[in-house]
Amino acid sequence: MSTPTVVRPVVGETLPELALPLDRTTIVATAIASQDFEDVHHDPGKANERGTPDIFMSINSTNGFLDRYVTDLFGPATRIRKVALRLGVPNFPGDTMTFSGEVAEVTDVAVTLKVVGRNVRGAHVTATVTIDHPSGGIQ
Amino acid sequence: MQELEARFGELVGEVAEPPRVARYAVNEAMIRNWVEAHDDLNPVYVDPEAARATGRDDVICPPAMVTTWVMQGYRRWRQVQALRAEGVQESHAYSRLLALLDEHGFSSVVATAQEQEYVRELTPGTRVTCHFTIEDISPVKRTGLGDGCFITLRKRYVDQADRLLVDERFVILRFDPTTKDAPKEPAA
């Protein structure tokens, strides 16, 4: 069970990093767990024909890892309300994606986080994640 | 290319395809596969007691997993690929759009952006239906992967009582990998 490391978020607070080593099995297993059979997520030959050097992580898998990053930090009661993510460079087998982020906005009821997942080639994902305020807010 | 872009107008705003009804209800086995693949140890996805301790009634489905329930499965994926390879169009707007793009060489796909607003948490037993609309199609653009166009799909996921679960915008790039780093086409 994860331990919440952020209890009373304040604007500008830096979130602890999470480094995720991604092997081929991770990329395939997460794609198949989401029932995504697009060949670029499991077949290196087909990925090549489609213009990429290797298979790459699916957007749903990236989104799943974002969920994990945020709820690892804020604890199991965390309620994610909104995620807006944009993909940049792909995540290939052998990459390590490191999440980092900061608290962008805090209201009585919600906290907005800016999160980036980077690998050696640059930003794989840039995201804005809104969660309910961990204190339960004013409701 | 202008002739292609002119046809986008007929497709924008259309229902992309018939509503997708999940093949099975939200269930613990699929959730467990997902959280294990993501090495996610949040107990609210697998342990009803832990979920109740956070004020929920039961385990919940990881938010990002919503798309999974309305994926069509391996057999249907094979069938769709076979139909595309044969150039067969199904009657709905999204199939017509893909066929049109395939004809012009835009046969490869990458997802580029996703926005999801989670209105309700999903719990086991929920039967998800997704309504797809083609919200936008960009003009053909030069990208790092080749020439292509960005398609924005609006996806509204509802439960069996038709209550909104998740409202999503999903942007994909359909592109022609053979035009990667090709010289720019002269303006016609």
Side-chain angles (χ1 to χ4, degrees), chain B residues 61-135:
Chain B
C61 162
M65 201 185 168
V66 63
T67 55
T68 303
W69 309 109
V70 294
M71 295 298 256
Q72 299 176 104
Y74 179 72
R75 185 166 288 161
R76 172 68 181 156
W77 186 81
R78 284 281 189 204
Q79 187 187 23
V80 170
Q81 301 312 308
L83 290 171
R84 281 183 64 199
E86 291 162 20
V88 176
Q89 278 181 51
E90 296 181 280
S91 62
H92 48 263
Y94 198 58
S95 179
R96 296 206 307 275
L97 174 59
L98 293 191
L100 184 63
L101 294 173
D102 280 348
E103 276 170 35
H104 287 78
F106 304 128
S107 56
S108 294
V109 64
V110 289
T112 61
Q114 192 173 38
E115 283 181 30
Q116 293 180 327
E117 187 173 351
Y118 308 105
V119 178
R120 287 186 169 79
E121 290 182 327
L122 275 67
T123 51
T126 304
R127 185 65 85 121
V128 180
T129 294
C130 186
H131 299 272
F132 293 69
T133 310
I134 301 173
E135 194 166 75

Side-chain angles (χ1 to χ4, degrees), chain A residues 76 78, chain B residues 31 44-46 51 56 58-63 121-124:
Chain A
T78 307
Chain B
I31 292 174
V44 300
Y45 304 135
V46 294
R56 280 114 169 172
D58 196 350
V59 296
I60 62 161
C61 162
E121 290 182 327
L122 275 67
T123 51

Side-chain angles (χ1 to χ4, degrees), chain A residues 67-68 76 81 83 85 87, chain B residues 38 56 64 112 114 116 118:
Chain A
D67 282 351
R68 172 180 155 192
R81 292 290 181 176
V83 170
L85 69 88
L87 295 187
Chain B
H38 292 84
R56 280 114 169 172
T112 61
Q114 192 173 38
Q116 293 180 327
Y118 308 105

Side-chain angles (χ1 to χ4, degrees), chain B residues 128-148:
Chain B
V128 180
T129 294
C130 186
H131 299 272
F132 293 69
T133 310
I134 301 173
E135 194 166 75
D136 190 44
I137 310 169
S138 78
V140 175
K141 296 180 178 179
R142 171 126 312 168
T143 79
L145 293 168
D147 292 347

